[in-house]
Amino acid sequence: MKFSVDPWDVEYGTSVELAESESAGTIVTDIEMPAGGWRPVDALSGVTADCILFVDGVRRIDARVWIDGDQPGICASYAAGVVRCDGRATITDISVARGMFSTAPTAAAIVTTKAEYPARMAPSSDIAGLMLAVHERMAECEVLLASRAGSADLIVIDGPLRGRAHIDRAIGFIKSHAVRYLPEELHAIVGTLAAGQRTPVFTIGSTWSRHAWYLRLPGPSGSPWSGIVRCECSPDLAPDAAVALANVTSAVLPRFASEPHKDTRAPQNLYPIGGLERELRHRLGDQALLFRSLQRAAAA
């Protein structure tokens, strides 16, 4: 296999959002209380979590490449990790991997003096398809690490829970809101939540099913949805179990909310997740060194 490295900035044209692409689907709103009685739910006193795990991943394009002259691909690095909070915050597990992602039938591993990029197939050759393949590999790492992390009172996985709902005590933690799930009268209740309050639990039945609820984290006041996150849990949980898990999140997650002077994504980017992301990006290695090593390998 012959390949060349594109000299253009690797970030040009790669700001692809891999958010959920779905409609609201079927929504069941009477899981916890009748829709007509919906109101903000206060955090319960006495609800605790002695051990919380935070799971997250990062990904990065190290170089764009062309396989055998005209077939596009990307060399990417990705990593996942786990933070255990049980009185202190400790990074307990990290996995770092790389790959050369393309649709080229002749694709083979690229080996440089700094790293190896095994050949990985992507669903399409456009940048969205290539980045989706990287994201899926990163998500597989997250699942593996969460599965072997041991038991905890709560496992917070940054991002949607899709593909990870089988993990015991796990919730998906979604910081942005691309889809409106609730009917107008219930959607309006989200904006009235005070810090630490949540909505009642509801069930989303779209391309995949899960229980969900909205929670407001403490932080500066701004738009009606400032500090709002959506949490998800397995649809296999009985309603009472889903509600109990929701009560744990509203009782314990607000204390991990970040502050604007420390994190531009405050308060939704929780402190353990932000710290883990910084360590993971460091573990990916120096992007400039990796880029130059790929150029040398292409010229050899």
Side-chain angles (χ1 to χ4, degrees), residues 4-256:
S4 60
V5 176
D6 196 317
W8 279 37
D9 184 345
V10 294
E11 295 302 325
Y12 181 78
T14 62
S15 57
V16 179
E17 284 295 329
L18 296 173
E20 300 160 284
S21 56
E22 63 171 12
S23 62
T26 302
I27 306 299
V28 180
T29 57
D30 59 355
I31 298 298
E32 184 173 357
M33 61 182 67
W38 262 45
R39 53 175 174 73
V41 179
D42 293 328
L44 298 179
S45 60
V47 175
T48 61
D50 294 330
C51 178
I52 305 174
L53 301 180
F54 294 88
V55 182
D56 195 14
V58 299
R59 60 191 186 276
R60 185 189 69 199
I61 298 178
D62 293 333
R64 296 191 199 216
V65 296
W66 293 93
I67 308 301
D68 292 331
D70 62 352
Q71 300 184 71
I74 56 175
C75 288
S77 298
Y78 51 97
V82 179
V83 176
R84 177 179 293 271
C85 293
D86 53 3
R88 58 178 298 180
T90 307
I91 296 177
T92 59
D93 203 355
I94 283 180
S95 176
V96 180
R98 309 185 201 277
M100 192 281 288
F101 296 82
S102 77
T103 59
T106 57
I110 294 176
V111 181
T112 79
T113 57
K114 300 296 182 183
E116 180 176 350
Y117 294 84
R120 309 293 189 197
M121 296 306 293
S124 65
S125 61
D126 58 81
I127 191 61
L130 296 173
M131 287 302 296
L132 176 61
V134 179
H135 180 81
E136 288 175 343
R137 288 282 178 165
M138 181 191 73
E140 289 174 5
C141 288
E142 292 176 343
V143 171
L144 175 62
L145 267 58
S147 299
R148 71 188 189 195
S151 61
D153 298 305
L154 181 67
I155 300 178
V156 180
I157 299 177
D158 194 54
L161 195 61
R162 187 172 193 167
R164 300 173 281 195
H166 63 283
I167 300 172
D168 189 38
R169 306 293 294 175
I171 65 160
F173 187 83
I174 297 91
K175 295 174 286 200
S176 58
H177 310 285
V179 180
R180 176 182 290 204
Y181 292 101
L182 296 171
E184 187 63 38
E185 65 276 10
L186 302 185
H187 180 85
I189 293 175
V190 179
T192 70
L193 297 176
Q197 288 184 326
R198 64 171 179 86
T199 64
V201 174
F202 57 100
T203 300
I204 302 170
S206 53
T207 54
W208 62 291
S209 298
R210 67 272 199 203
H211 299 307
W213 58 95
Y214 290 100
L215 168 68
R216 188 187 294 276
L217 299 172
S221 59
S223 69
W225 280 60
S226 294
I228 296 292
V229 296
R230 189 178 80 251
C231 300
E232 301 176 342
C233 71
S234 170
D236 295 333
L237 291 179
D240 286 350
V243 170
L245 200 56
N247 285 333
V248 172
T249 64
S250 59
V252 304
L253 291 186
R255 73 172 183 264
F256 296 104

